[in-house]
Amino acid sequence: MIKSELVQTIANRNPHLYQRDVELIVNAIFDEITEALCESNRVELRGFGAFSVKNRPPRTGRNPRTGEAVEVSEKWVPFFKPGKELRERLNDED
């Protein structure tokens, strides 16, 4: 599912809301999550999961084409840990 499909689904389930308002709400949620992660804060959505950032230290990598050693700089990467309810729904055998 892409963001436009998410907006359309929410708008269809809530006919009293305009699609442009739903789009603003979805964008605001994503912007707040992004801003919190940029500030190294953890974002927890109960039942769904938690977003955080992890540090990847600098390392020496290899160019797959030439085999030459390449220095890879330190970086911060987003990390998602699914919540208990999400894991249970994904693994539901019923």
Coordinates of all heavy atoms in Angstrom, one line a residue:
M1 N 0.8 -1.2 0.0 CA 0.0 0.0 0.0 C 0.9 1.2 0.0 O 1.8 1.3 0.8 CB -0.9 0.0 1.2 CG -1.7 1.2 1.4 SD -2.8 1.2 2.8 CE -4.2 0.3 2.2
I2 N 0.5 2.2 -0.8 CA 1.3 3.4 -0.9 C 0.4 4.5 -0.2 O -0.7 4.3 0.1 CB 1.6 3.8 -2.3 CG1 0.4 4.0 -3.2 CG2 2.6 2.8 -2.9 CD1 0.7 4.5 -4.6
K3 N 1.1 5.7 0.1 CA 0.4 6.7 0.9 C -0.9 7.1 0.2 O -1.9 7.3 1.0 CB 1.3 7.9 1.0 CG 0.8 9.0 2.0 CD 1.8 9.9 2.5 CE 2.4 10.8 1.4 NZ 3.2 11.9 2.0
S4 N -1.0 7.3 -1.1 CA -2.2 7.7 -1.7 C -3.4 6.7 -1.5 O -4.5 7.0 -1.3 CB -2.0 8.0 -3.2 OG -1.6 6.8 -3.9
E5 N -3.0 5.4 -1.5 CA -4.0 4.3 -1.2 C -4.5 4.4 0.2 O -5.6 4.2 0.5 CB -3.4 3.0 -1.5 CG -3.1 2.7 -3.0 CD -2.4 1.4 -3.3 OE1 -1.7 0.9 -2.4 OE2 -2.5 1.0 -4.4
L6 N -3.5 4.7 1.1 CA -3.9 4.8 2.5 C -4.9 6.0 2.7 O -5.9 5.9 3.4 CB -2.7 5.1 3.4 CG -2.9 5.4 4.9 CD1 -3.5 4.2 5.6 CD2 -1.6 5.7 5.5
V7 N -4.6 7.1 2.1 CA -5.5 8.3 2.2 C -6.9 7.9 1.6 O -7.9 8.3 2.2 CB -4.9 9.5 1.4 CG1 -5.9 10.6 1.2 CG2 -3.6 10.0 2.1
Q8 N -6.9 7.3 0.4 CA -8.2 6.9 -0.2 C -9.0 5.9 0.7 O -10.2 6.1 0.9 CB -7.9 6.2 -1.5 CG -9.2 6.0 -2.3 CD -9.9 7.3 -2.7 OE1 -9.3 8.2 -3.2 NE2 -11.2 7.3 -2.4
T9 N -8.3 5.0 1.3 CA -9.0 4.0 2.2 C -9.6 4.7 3.4 O -10.7 4.5 3.8 CB -8.0 2.9 2.7 OG1 -7.5 2.2 1.5 CG2 -8.7 1.9 3.6
I10 N -8.8 5.6 4.0 CA -9.3 6.3 5.2 C -10.5 7.2 4.8 O -11.5 7.3 5.5 CB -8.2 7.2 5.9 CG1 -7.2 6.2 6.5 CG2 -8.8 8.1 6.9 CD1 -5.9 6.9 7.0
A11 N -10.4 7.9 3.6 CA -11.4 8.8 3.1 C -12.7 8.0 2.9 O -13.8 8.4 3.1 CB -11.0 9.5 1.9
N12 N -12.5 6.8 2.3 CA -13.7 5.9 2.0 C -14.4 5.5 3.3 O -15.6 5.3 3.3 CB -13.3 4.7 1.1 CG -12.9 5.1 -0.3 OD1 -13.2 6.2 -0.7 ND2 -12.2 4.2 -0.9
R13 N -13.6 5.2 4.3 CA -14.2 4.7 5.6 C -14.8 5.9 6.4 O -15.6 5.6 7.3 CB -13.1 4.0 6.4 CG -12.7 2.7 5.9 CD -11.7 2.1 6.8 NE -11.2 0.8 6.3 CZ -10.4 0.0 6.9 NH1 -9.9 0.4 8.1 NH2 -9.9 -1.1 6.3
N14 N -14.5 7.1 6.0 CA -15.0 8.3 6.8 C -15.6 9.2 5.8 O -14.9 10.3 5.5 CB -13.8 8.9 7.6 CG -13.3 8.0 8.6 OD1 -13.9 7.8 9.7 ND2 -12.2 7.3 8.3
P15 N -16.8 9.0 5.2 CA -17.3 9.8 4.2 C -17.6 11.3 4.6 O -17.8 12.1 3.8 CB -18.6 9.1 3.8 CG -18.9 8.2 4.9 CD -17.6 7.8 5.6
H16 N -17.6 11.5 5.9 CA -17.9 12.9 6.4 C -16.6 13.7 6.3 O -16.7 14.9 6.5 CB -18.4 12.8 7.9 CG -17.4 12.2 8.8 ND1 -17.3 10.8 8.9 CD2 -16.6 12.7 9.7 CE1 -16.3 10.5 9.8 NE2 -15.9 11.7 10.3
L17 N -15.5 13.1 6.0 CA -14.2 13.9 5.8 C -13.9 14.1 4.4 O -14.1 13.1 3.6 CB -13.1 13.2 6.5 CG -13.1 13.0 8.0 CD1 -12.0 12.1 8.5 CD2 -13.1 14.3 8.7
Y18 N -13.4 15.2 4.0 CA -12.9 15.4 2.7 C -11.6 14.7 2.5 O -10.8 14.7 3.4 CB -12.8 16.9 2.4 CG -14.0 17.7 2.3 CD1 -14.3 18.7 3.3 CD2 -15.0 17.5 1.3 CE1 -15.5 19.4 3.3 CE2 -16.1 18.2 1.3 CZ -16.4 19.2 2.3 OH -17.6 19.9 2.3
Q19 N -11.4 14.3 1.2 CA -10.1 13.6 0.9 C -8.9 14.5 1.2 O -7.9 14.0 1.7 CB -10.1 13.0 -0.5 CG -8.9 12.2 -0.8 CD -8.9 11.4 -2.1 OE1 -10.0 11.2 -2.6 NE2 -7.8 11.0 -2.5
R20 N -9.0 15.7 0.8 CA -7.9 16.6 1.0 C -7.6 16.8 2.5 O -6.4 17.0 2.9 CB -8.1 18.0 0.4 CG -9.2 18.8 1.0 CD -9.4 20.2 0.3 NE -10.4 20.9 0.9 CZ -11.7 20.9 0.5 NH1 -12.1 20.2 -0.6 NH2 -12.6 21.7 1.1
D21 N -8.6 16.8 3.4 CA -8.4 16.9 4.8 C -7.7 15.6 5.3 O -6.8 15.7 6.2 CB -9.7 17.1 5.6 CG -10.3 18.5 5.3 OD1 -9.5 19.4 4.9 OD2 -11.5 18.6 5.4
V22 N -8.1 14.4 4.8 CA -7.5 13.2 5.2 C -6.0 13.2 4.8 O -5.2 12.8 5.6 CB -8.2 12.0 4.6 CG1 -7.5 10.7 4.9 CG2 -9.7 11.9 5.1
E23 N -5.7 13.7 3.6 CA -4.4 13.8 3.1 C -3.5 14.7 4.1 O -2.4 14.3 4.4 CB -4.3 14.3 1.7 CG -3.0 14.2 1.1 CD -3.0 14.6 -0.4 OE1 -4.0 14.8 -0.9 OE2 -1.9 14.6 -1.0
L24 N -4.1 15.8 4.5 CA -3.4 16.7 5.4 C -3.1 16.0 6.7 O -2.0 16.1 7.3 CB -4.2 18.0 5.6 CG -4.3 18.9 4.5 CD1 -5.2 20.1 4.8 CD2 -2.9 19.5 4.2
I25 N -4.1 15.2 7.2 CA -3.9 14.5 8.5 C -2.8 13.4 8.4 O -1.9 13.3 9.2 CB -5.2 13.9 8.9 CG1 -6.2 15.0 9.3 CG2 -5.0 12.9 10.1 CD1 -7.7 14.5 9.5
V26 N -2.8 12.6 7.3 CA -1.8 11.6 7.1 C -0.5 12.2 7.0 O 0.5 11.8 7.6 CB -2.2 10.7 5.9 CG1 -1.0 9.8 5.5 CG2 -3.4 9.9 6.1
N27 N -0.3 13.3 6.2 CA 0.9 14.0 6.1 C 1.4 14.5 7.4 O 2.6 14.5 7.7 CB 0.9 15.1 5.0 CG 0.8 14.6 3.6 OD1 1.3 13.5 3.3 ND2 0.2 15.3 2.7
A28 N 0.5 15.1 8.2 CA 0.9 15.6 9.5 C 1.4 14.5 10.4 O 2.4 14.7 11.1 CB -0.3 16.3 10.2
I29 N 0.8 13.3 10.4 CA 1.2 12.2 11.2 C 2.6 11.8 10.8 O 3.5 11.6 11.6 CB 0.2 11.0 11.1 CG1 -1.1 11.4 11.8 CG2 0.8 9.8 11.7 CD1 -2.2 10.4 11.6
F30 N 2.8 11.6 9.5 CA 4.2 11.2 9.0 C 5.2 12.2 9.3 O 6.4 11.9 9.6 CB 4.1 10.9 7.5 CG 3.4 9.6 7.1 CD1 2.8 9.5 5.9 CD2 3.3 8.6 8.0 CE1 2.1 8.3 5.6 CE2 2.6 7.4 7.7 CZ 2.1 7.3 6.5
D31 N 4.9 13.5 9.2 CA 5.8 14.6 9.5 C 6.2 14.6 10.9 O 7.4 14.8 11.3 CB 5.2 16.0 9.1 CG 5.1 16.2 7.6 OD1 5.8 15.4 6.8 OD2 4.4 17.1 7.2
E32 N 5.3 14.3 11.8 CA 5.6 14.3 13.3 C 6.5 13.1 13.6 O 7.4 13.2 14.4 CB 4.3 14.3 14.1 CG 3.6 15.6 14.1 CD 4.4 16.7 14.7 OE1 5.1 16.5 15.8 OE2 4.4 17.8 14.1
I33 N 6.2 11.9 13.0 CA 7.0 10.8 13.2 C 8.4 11.1 12.7 O 9.4 10.8 13.4 CB 6.4 9.5 12.5 CG1 5.1 9.1 13.2 CG2 7.4 8.4 12.5 CD1 4.4 8.0 12.5
T34 N 8.6 11.6 11.5 CA 9.9 11.9 10.9 C 10.6 12.9 11.8 O 11.8 12.7 12.1 CB 9.7 12.5 9.5 OG1 9.0 11.6 8.7 CG2 11.0 12.8 8.9
E35 N 9.9 14.0 12.3 CA 10.6 15.0 13.1 C 11.1 14.4 14.4 O 12.2 14.7 14.9 CB 9.6 16.1 13.4 CG 10.2 17.3 14.0 CD 11.3 18.0 13.2 OE1 11.1 18.0 11.9 OE2 12.3 18.5 13.7
A36 N 10.3 13.5 15.0 CA 10.7 12.9 16.3 C 11.9 12.0 16.0 O 12.8 12.0 16.9 CB 9.5 12.0 16.8
L37 N 11.9 11.3 14.9 CA 13.1 10.4 14.7 C 14.3 11.2 14.4 O 15.4 10.9 14.8 CB 12.8 9.5 13.5 CG 11.7 8.4 13.7 CD1 11.5 7.6 12.5 CD2 12.2 7.5 14.9
C38 N 14.2 12.4 13.7 CA 15.3 13.3 13.4 C 15.9 13.8 14.7 O 17.1 14.1 14.8 CB 14.9 14.4 12.5 SG 14.6 14.0 10.8
E39 N 15.1 13.9 15.8 CA 15.6 14.4 17.1 C 16.0 13.2 18.0 O 16.2 13.3 19.2 CB 14.5 15.2 17.8 CG 14.1 16.4 17.0 CD 12.9 17.1 17.6 OE1 12.3 16.6 18.6 OE2 12.5 18.2 17.1
S40 N 16.1 12.0 17.4 CA 16.5 10.8 18.0 C 15.5 10.3 19.1 O 15.9 9.7 20.1 CB 17.9 10.9 18.7 OG 18.9 11.1 17.6
N41 N 14.3 10.7 19.0 CA 13.2 10.2 19.9 C 12.6 9.0 19.3 O 12.6 8.7 18.2 CB 12.1 11.3 20.0 CG 12.6 12.5 20.7 OD1 13.5 12.5 21.6 ND2 12.1 13.7 20.3
R42 N 12.0 8.2 20.3 CA 11.4 7.0 19.9 C 9.9 7.3 19.7 O 9.3 8.1 20.5 CB 11.6 6.0 21.1 CG 11.0 4.6 20.8 CD 11.5 3.7 22.0 NE 11.1 2.3 21.8 CZ 10.0 1.8 22.3 NH1 9.2 2.5 23.0 NH2 9.7 0.5 22.0
V43 N 9.2 6.7 18.7 CA 7.8 6.9 18.5 C 7.1 5.5 18.7 O 7.4 4.6 18.0 CB 7.6 7.4 17.1 CG1 6.1 7.5 16.8 CG2 8.3 8.7 16.8
E44 N 6.2 5.4 19.6 CA 5.5 4.2 19.9 C 4.0 4.3 19.6 O 3.4 5.2 20.1 CB 5.7 3.8 21.4 CG 5.1 2.5 21.7 CD 5.3 2.0 23.1 OE1 6.3 2.5 23.7 OE2 4.5 1.2 23.6
L45 N 3.5 3.4 18.8 CA 2.1 3.4 18.5 C 1.6 2.0 19.0 O 1.9 1.0 18.5 CB 1.9 3.4 16.9 CG 2.5 4.6 16.2 CD1 2.4 4.5 14.7 CD2 1.8 5.9 16.7
R46 N 1.0 2.1 20.2 CA 0.5 0.9 20.9 C -0.2 0.0 20.0 O -1.1 0.4 19.3 CB -0.4 1.3 22.1 CG 0.3 2.1 23.2 CD 1.2 1.3 24.0 NE 2.0 2.1 24.8 CZ 2.3 1.8 26.1 NH1 1.8 0.7 26.6 NH2 3.1 2.6 26.8
G47 N 0.1 -1.3 20.1 CA -0.5 -2.3 19.3 C 0.1 -2.5 17.9 O -0.1 -3.5 17.2
F48 N 0.7 -1.4 17.4 CA 1.3 -1.4 16.0 C 2.8 -1.7 16.1 O 3.3 -2.6 15.5 CB 1.0 -0.1 15.3 CG 1.5 -0.1 13.9 CD1 0.9 -0.9 12.9 CD2 2.5 0.7 13.5 CE1 1.4 -0.9 11.6 CE2 3.0 0.7 12.2 CZ 2.4 -0.1 11.3
G49 N 3.5 -0.8 16.8 CA 5.0 -1.0 16.9 C 5.6 0.3 17.3 O 5.0 1.3 17.6
A50 N 7.0 0.2 17.3 CA 7.8 1.4 17.7 C 8.8 1.7 16.7 O 9.5 0.8 16.1 CB 8.4 1.1 19.1
F51 N 9.0 3.0 16.4 CA 10.0 3.5 15.5 C 11.1 4.1 16.3 O 10.9 4.8 17.3 CB 9.5 4.6 14.5 CG 8.4 4.1 13.6 CD1 7.0 4.2 14.0 CD2 8.7 3.6 12.4 CE1 6.0 3.8 13.1 CE2 7.7 3.1 11.5 CZ 6.4 3.2 11.9
S52 N 12.4 3.8 15.9 CA 13.5 4.4 16.6 C 14.6 4.5 15.6 O 14.5 4.1 14.4 CB 14.0 3.6 17.8 OG 14.3 2.3 17.4
V53 N 15.7 5.2 16.0 CA 16.9 5.2 15.1 C 18.0 4.5 15.7 O 18.2 4.5 16.9 CB 17.3 6.7 14.8 CG1 16.2 7.4 13.9 CG2 17.5 7.5 16.0
K54 N 18.8 3.9 14.9 CA 20.0 3.2 15.4 C 21.2 3.7 14.6 O 21.1 4.1 13.4 CB 19.9 1.7 15.1 CG 18.9 1.0 16.0 CD 19.0 -0.5 16.0 CE 18.0 -1.1 17.0 NZ 18.2 -2.5 17.2
N55 N 22.4 3.7 15.3 CA 23.6 4.1 14.7 C 24.4 3.0 14.1 O 24.5 1.9 14.7 CB 24.5 4.8 15.8 CG 25.8 5.3 15.2 OD1 26.7 4.6 15.1 ND2 25.8 6.6 14.9
R56 N 24.8 3.2 12.8 CA 25.7 2.2 12.2 C 27.0 2.8 12.1 O 27.2 3.8 11.5 CB 25.2 1.9 10.8 CG 23.9 1.1 10.7 CD 23.9 0.1 9.6 NE 22.7 -0.7 9.7 CZ 21.9 -0.9 8.6 NH1 22.3 -0.5 7.4 NH2 20.8 -1.7 8.8
P57 N 28.0 2.2 12.8 CA 29.3 2.8 12.9 C 30.1 2.7 11.5 O 29.7 2.0 10.7 CB 30.1 2.0 13.9 CG 29.3 0.7 14.0 CD 27.9 1.0 13.6
P58 N 31.1 3.5 11.4 CA 31.9 3.5 10.1 C 32.5 2.1 9.9 O 32.8 1.4 10.9 CB 32.9 4.6 10.2 CG 33.0 4.9 11.7 CD 31.7 4.5 12.3
R59 N 32.7 1.7 8.7 CA 33.2 0.4 8.4 C 33.9 0.4 7.1 O 33.7 1.3 6.3 CB 32.2 -0.7 8.5 CG 31.1 -0.6 7.4 CD 30.0 -1.6 7.5 NE 28.9 -1.3 6.6 CZ 28.9 -1.7 5.3 NH1 29.9 -2.4 4.8 NH2 27.8 -1.5 4.6
T60 N 34.6 -0.7 6.8 CA 35.3 -0.9 5.5 C 34.4 -1.8 4.7 O 34.2 -3.0 5.2 CB 36.7 -1.4 5.6 OG1 37.4 -0.5 6.4 CG2 37.3 -1.5 4.3
G61 N 33.9 -1.4 3.6 CA 33.1 -2.2 2.7 C 33.9 -2.6 1.5 O 35.1 -2.3 1.3
R62 N 33.3 -3.3 0.6 CA 33.9 -3.7 -0.7 C 33.0 -3.3 -1.8 O 31.8 -3.5 -1.8 CB 34.0 -5.3 -0.7 CG 34.9 -5.8 0.3 CD 36.3 -5.9 -0.2 NE 37.2 -6.3 0.8 CZ 38.4 -5.8 1.0 NH1 38.9 -4.9 0.2 NH2 39.2 -6.2 2.0
N63 N 33.6 -2.8 -2.9 CA 32.9 -2.5 -4.1 C 32.7 -3.9 -4.8 O 33.6 -4.6 -5.1 CB 33.8 -1.6 -5.0 CG 33.1 -1.3 -6.3 OD1 32.3 -2.0 -6.9 ND2 33.5 -0.1 -6.9
P64 N 31.4 -4.3 -5.0 CA 31.2 -5.6 -5.6 C 31.7 -5.8 -7.0 O 32.0 -6.9 -7.4 CB 29.6 -5.7 -5.5 CG 29.1 -4.3 -5.4 CD 30.2 -3.5 -4.7
R65 N 31.8 -4.7 -7.7 CA 32.3 -4.8 -9.1 C 33.8 -5.0 -9.2 O 34.3 -5.9 -9.9 CB 31.9 -3.6 -9.9 CG 32.4 -3.7 -11.4 CD 31.8 -2.5 -12.2 NE 30.4 -2.7 -12.4 CZ 29.5 -1.8 -12.8 NH1 30.0 -0.6 -13.1 NH2 28.3 -2.1 -12.9
T66 N 34.6 -4.2 -8.4 CA 36.0 -4.3 -8.5 C 36.7 -5.0 -7.3 O 37.8 -5.4 -7.4 CB 36.6 -2.9 -8.5 OG1 36.3 -2.2 -7.3 CG2 36.1 -2.1 -9.7
G67 N 36.0 -5.2 -6.2 CA 36.5 -5.9 -5.0 C 37.4 -4.9 -4.2 O 38.0 -5.3 -3.2
E68 N 37.4 -3.6 -4.6 CA 38.2 -2.6 -4.0 C 37.6 -2.3 -2.6 O 36.4 -2.2 -2.5 CB 38.3 -1.4 -4.8 CG 39.1 -0.2 -4.3 CD 39.0 1.0 -5.2 OE1 38.7 0.8 -6.4 OE2 39.4 2.1 -4.7
A69 N 38.5 -2.0 -1.6 CA 38.0 -1.6 -0.3 C 37.4 -0.2 -0.4 O 38.0 0.7 -1.0 CB 39.1 -1.7 0.7
V70 N 36.3 0.0 0.3 CA 35.7 1.4 0.3 C 35.3 1.7 1.7 O 34.7 0.8 2.4 CB 34.4 1.4 -0.6 CG1 33.7 2.7 -0.5 CG2 34.7 1.0 -2.0
E71 N 35.6 2.9 2.2 CA 35.2 3.3 3.5 C 33.7 3.8 3.5 O 33.4 4.6 2.7 CB 36.1 4.5 4.0 CG 37.5 4.1 4.2 CD 37.6 3.0 5.3 OE1 37.0 3.0 6.3 OE2 38.4 2.0 5.0
V72 N 32.9 3.2 4.4 CA 31.5 3.5 4.5 C 31.4 4.4 5.8 O 31.8 3.9 6.8 CB 30.6 2.3 4.5 CG1 29.2 2.7 4.7 CG2 30.8 1.4 3.3
S73 N 30.9 5.6 5.7 CA 30.8 6.5 6.8 C 29.7 6.0 7.8 O 28.8 5.3 7.5 CB 30.6 7.9 6.3 OG 29.4 8.0 5.6
E74 N 29.8 6.6 9.0 CA 28.8 6.4 10.0 C 27.4 6.9 9.5 O 27.4 7.9 8.8 CB 29.2 7.1 11.3 CG 28.1 7.1 12.3 CD 28.5 8.0 13.5 OE1 28.8 9.2 13.3 OE2 28.6 7.5 14.6
K75 N 26.4 6.3 9.9 CA 25.0 6.7 9.5 C 24.0 6.3 10.6 O 24.2 5.4 11.3 CB 24.6 6.3 8.1 CG 24.5 4.8 8.0 CD 24.1 4.4 6.6 CE 25.4 4.3 5.7 NZ 25.1 3.7 4.4
W76 N 22.9 7.1 10.6 CA 21.8 6.8 11.4 C 20.7 6.2 10.5 O 20.4 6.8 9.5 CB 21.3 8.0 12.2 CG 22.3 8.5 13.2 CD1 23.2 9.4 13.0 CD2 22.3 8.1 14.5 NE1 24.0 9.6 14.2 CE2 23.4 8.8 15.1 CE3 21.6 7.2 15.3 CZ2 23.8 8.6 16.5 CZ3 22.0 7.1 16.6 CH2 23.0 7.8 17.2
V77 N 20.1 5.1 11.0 CA 19.1 4.4 10.1 C 17.8 4.2 11.0 O 17.9 4.0 12.2 CB 19.6 3.1 9.6 CG1 20.7 3.3 8.6 CG2 20.0 2.2 10.7
P78 N 16.6 4.3 10.3 CA 15.4 4.1 11.0 C 15.2 2.6 11.3 O 15.7 1.7 10.5 CB 14.3 4.6 10.1 CG 15.0 4.6 8.7 CD 16.4 4.8 8.9
F79 N 14.6 2.3 12.4 CA 14.4 0.9 12.8 C 12.9 0.8 13.3 O 12.4 1.7 14.0 CB 15.4 0.6 14.0 CG 15.2 -0.8 14.5 CD1 15.7 -1.9 13.8 CD2 14.6 -1.0 15.8 CE1 15.5 -3.2 14.3 CE2 14.4 -2.3 16.3 CZ 14.9 -3.4 15.5
F80 N 12.3 -0.3 12.9 CA 10.9 -0.5 13.3 C 10.8 -1.9 14.0 O 11.3 -2.9 13.6 CB 10.0 -0.6 12.1 CG 8.5 -0.9 12.5 CD1 7.7 0.0 13.1 CD2 8.0 -2.1 12.2 CE1 6.4 -0.3 13.4 CE2 6.7 -2.5 12.5 CZ 5.9 -1.5 13.1
K81 N 10.2 -1.8 15.2 CA 10.0 -3.1 16.0 C 8.5 -3.2 16.1 O 7.8 -2.4 16.7 CB 10.6 -3.0 17.4 CG 10.4 -4.2 18.2 CD 11.1 -4.1 19.5 CE 10.8 -5.4 20.3 NZ 11.3 -5.3 21.7
P82 N 7.9 -4.3 15.5 CA 6.5 -4.5 15.5 C 6.0 -4.8 17.0 O 6.7 -5.4 17.8 CB 6.2 -5.7 14.6 CG 7.5 -6.4 14.5 CD 8.6 -5.4 14.8
G83 N 4.8 -4.3 17.2 CA 4.1 -4.5 18.5 C 3.5 -5.9 18.6 O 3.4 -6.6 17.7
K84 N 3.2 -6.3 19.9 CA 2.6 -7.6 20.1 C 1.4 -7.9 19.3 O 1.2 -9.0 18.7 CB 2.3 -7.7 21.6 CG 1.8 -9.1 22.0 CD 1.6 -9.1 23.5 CE 0.9 -10.5 23.9 NZ 0.6 -10.5 25.3
E85 N 0.4 -6.9 19.3 CA -0.8 -7.2 18.5 C -0.6 -7.4 17.0 O -1.2 -8.2 16.4 CB -1.8 -6.0 18.7 CG -2.4 -5.9 20.1 CD -3.3 -4.7 20.2 OE1 -4.0 -4.4 19.3 OE2 -3.3 -4.1 21.3
L86 N 0.3 -6.6 16.5 CA 0.7 -6.7 15.1 C 1.3 -8.1 14.8 O 0.9 -8.8 13.8 CB 1.6 -5.6 14.6 CG 2.1 -5.7 13.2 CD1 0.9 -5.7 12.2 CD2 3.0 -4.6 12.9
R87 N 2.2 -8.5 15.6 CA 2.8 -9.9 15.5 C 1.8 -11.0 15.6 O 1.8 -11.9 14.8 CB 3.9 -10.1 16.5 CG 5.2 -9.4 16.2 CD 6.4 -9.8 17.1 NE 6.0 -10.0 18.5 CZ 6.1 -9.0 19.4 NH1 6.6 -7.8 19.1 NH2 5.8 -9.2 20.7
E88 N 0.9 -10.8 16.5 CA -0.2 -11.8 16.7 C -1.1 -11.9 15.5 O -1.5 -13.0 15.0 CB -1.0 -11.6 18.0 CG -0.2 -11.9 19.2 CD -0.9 -11.5 20.5 OE1 -2.0 -10.8 20.4 OE2 -0.4 -11.8 21.6
R89 N -1.5 -10.7 14.9 CA -2.3 -10.7 13.8 C -1.7 -11.3 12.5 O -2.3 -12.0 11.7 CB -2.8 -9.3 13.5 CG -3.9 -8.8 14.5 CD -4.4 -7.5 14.1 NE -5.2 -7.6 12.9 CZ -5.8 -6.5 12.4 NH1 -5.8 -5.4 13.0 NH2 -6.5 -6.7 11.3
L90 N -0.3 -11.0 12.4 CA 0.4 -11.6 11.3 C 0.6 -13.1 11.4 O 0.6 -13.8 10.3 CB 1.8 -10.9 11.2 CG 1.8 -9.5 10.7 CD1 3.2 -8.9 10.8 CD2 1.3 -9.3 9.3
N91 N 0.7 -13.6 12.6 CA 0.9 -15.0 12.8 C -0.3 -15.8 13.2 O -0.2 -16.9 13.6 CB 2.0 -15.2 13.8 CG 3.3 -14.7 13.3 OD1 3.8 -15.1 12.2 ND2 3.9 -13.8 14.0
D92 N -1.5 -15.2 13.0 CA -2.8 -15.8 13.4 C -3.0 -17.0 12.5 O -3.0 -16.9 11.3 CB -3.9 -14.8 13.3 CG -5.2 -15.4 13.9 OD1 -5.2 -16.4 14.7 OD2 -6.3 -14.8 13.7
E93 N -3.2 -18.2 13.0 CA -3.4 -19.4 12.3 C -4.9 -19.6 11.9 O -5.2 -20.6 11.2 CB -2.9 -20.6 13.0 CG -1.4 -20.5 13.3 CD -0.6 -20.6 12.0 OE1 -1.0 -21.3 11.1 OE2 0.5 -20.0 12.0
D94 N -5.8 -18.8 12.4 CA -7.3 -19.1 12.1 C -7.6 -18.8 10.7 O -7.3 -18.0 10.0 CB -8.1 -18.2 13.1 CG -7.9 -18.6 14.5 OD1 -7.5 -19.8 14.8 OD2 -8.2 -17.8 15.4

